[in-house]
Amino acid sequence: MEAEQGGEQDASPESQIWRPGWHAPADEVPAQTPHPRLRVHRGFRSRILPDRRDLIVYLPPGYDAERDHRYPVLYLHDGQNLFDPATSYIKGRTWMVREAADAGIEAGEIEPLVIVGIYNTGDRRLAEYTPERDWQMGGGEADSYGELLLLELMPWIAEHYRVRVDRDGTGLGGSSLGGLVSLYLGLKNAESFGRLAVLSPSVWWNHKSILGIVNETAPLLEHRPRIWLDAGDHEGRMTLRDAELLAKRLLANGWRDGETLHFERVRGGTHDEGSWALRVGPLLRFLFPAESREAR
């Protein structure tokens, strides 16, 4: 890749910003479980974090026909679990994101959007998805992961796909530790992310430090991201109680119930892909309602 010329020796912050070519993923390859509107990119490479990671990109119905239209975009963590049953952590069980998005778009309930699944890196998932270091479990690389997203991955997506780059047109989401890092990065970078999907978040991490982060960050925000927050009543009492406490903390810091925050107590909800799959349609309807396209 010719754009690497001498770049490895430049450690200035400006050198971290994406430039065409130097860290482009390998050639596009088919999904293991093919679909004509899924694109897979192998081995996305970063200067900020060491591991390469795969990407899977969902394109909405009509994407190829509407050549002049730019779509809102939702970035989701744990990308191998979202679309393709061949790559999922539990084989055959995914979030069924494509099916939910297609159904909502075709019903006129969800604004057509691009969805980018960012594969986790296995052993380093915990480090990248946690905002602070826990004295027992380690972690604490979420800020670096956020830089990877903002300075490298998102600009690359905008170069290769017709996506919006404004905050209102950009969402971030995930579950468990992925929900935790989505909320953390969404609050710390609220000028970039206008919509957050926070499913079954690991509020417990580092003595529930995310609650203090909400208190510290919220007063500084000019615009509060629109947040979907949920937890299932079969995920363990602490998971649900922690999510309820987080919802109360957000409301106390200026989020408005039903407008900028939707908190869902999921009856029968469990901590797994099958349960999260049932929440994808409702969260997309809340975060990307079809009327928002016509309102612009």
Side-chain angles (χ1 to χ4, degrees):
M1 297 183 182
E2 64 277 5
E4 285 189 356
Q5 304 162 351
E8 298 301 335
Q9 298 176 5
D10 183 357
S12 67
E14 291 78 8
S15 73
Q16 302 291 319
I17 298 176
W18 174 84
R19 292 194 294 270
W22 70 261
H23 75 330
D27 291 340
E28 181 181 311
V29 299
Q32 292 188 47
T33 305
H35 187 275
R37 285 184 284 102
L38 289 179
R39 308 282 190 268
V40 177
H41 301 276
R42 298 289 187 217
F44 187 88
R45 185 160 60 89
S46 169
R47 288 180 174 175
I48 298 169
L49 286 170
D51 295 312
R52 298 188 181 217
R53 63 204 71 222
D54 294 344
L55 310 175
I56 185 166
V57 181
Y58 160 88
L59 303 176
Y63 178 89
D64 289 333
E66 296 192 43
R67 295 289 182 176
D68 296 327
H69 183 70
R70 290 198 170 269
Y71 293 83
V73 56
L74 174 61
Y75 295 91
L76 293 176
H77 314 297
D78 294 317
Q80 55 265 66
N81 299 330
L82 304 177
F83 300 99
D84 192 342
T87 63
S88 187
Y89 178 71
I90 301 176
K91 298 299 183 187
R93 300 184 66 184
T94 75
W95 286 33
M96 300 182 68
V97 172
R98 178 188 62 79
E99 293 85 346
D102 279 358
I105 291 168
E106 290 167 2
E109 299 171 342
I110 295 169
E111 179 177 8
L113 77 160
V114 171
I115 303 175
V116 179
I118 308 160
Y119 284 41
N120 70 55
T121 55
D123 290 343
R124 288 182 46 77
R125 176 182 183 270
L126 182 144
E128 294 180 354
Y129 287 7
T130 50
E132 298 175 340
R133 184 172 180 82
D134 179 86
W135 70 278
Q136 287 184 310
M137 301 181 69
E141 296 184 18
D143 286 323
S144 294
Y145 181 60
E147 290 180 5
L148 181 152
L149 295 181
L150 291 163
L151 301 182
E152 298 178 329
L153 192 150
M154 291 166 59
W156 189 90
I157 289 291
E159 177 73 12
H160 290 80
Y161 293 96
R162 299 193 312 277
V163 298
R164 291 167 55 188
V165 296
D166 58 296
R167 68 174 300 277
D168 188 55
T170 306
L172 186 66
S175 65
S176 196
L177 286 175
L180 175 68
V181 76
S182 296
L183 180 60
Y184 174 73
L185 292 178
L187 294 179
K188 299 287 265 189
N189 303 280
E191 72 285 354
S192 298
F193 299 110
R195 316 185 196 199
L196 305 177
V198 182
L199 289 76
S200 308
S202 299
V203 176
W204 56 267
W205 179 262
N206 193 30
H207 306 289
K208 306 182 186 180
S209 62
I210 189 64
L211 300 176
I213 292 170
V214 170
N215 286 342
E216 294 165 6
T217 307
L220 307 177
L221 298 181
E222 182 178 357
H223 302 288
R224 282 164 174 73
R226 187 175 175 88
I227 298 175
W228 168 282
L229 170 64
D230 69 30
D233 60 9
H234 282 49
E235 296 189 51
R237 283 183 294 178
M238 289 307 300
T239 298
L240 181 57
R241 287 179 182 175
D242 285 350
E244 291 172 337
L245 181 58
L246 176 57
K248 291 177 182 177
R249 191 65 56 91
L250 290 166
L251 291 171
N253 277 282
W255 274 263
R256 297 188 301 277
D257 187 26
E259 297 180 30
T260 51
L261 173 67
H262 177 91
F263 175 54
E264 184 82 12
R265 297 173 184 83
V266 182
R267 180 173 296 181
T270 51
H271 201 82
D272 54 50
E273 278 67 35
S275 184
W276 293 322
L278 299 176
R279 311 178 202 180
V280 173
L283 77 83
L284 289 176
R285 288 194 291 272
F286 178 72
L287 294 177
F288 296 91
E291 60 267 25
S292 64
R293 181 175 181 178
E294 294 154 7
R296 288 198 305 274

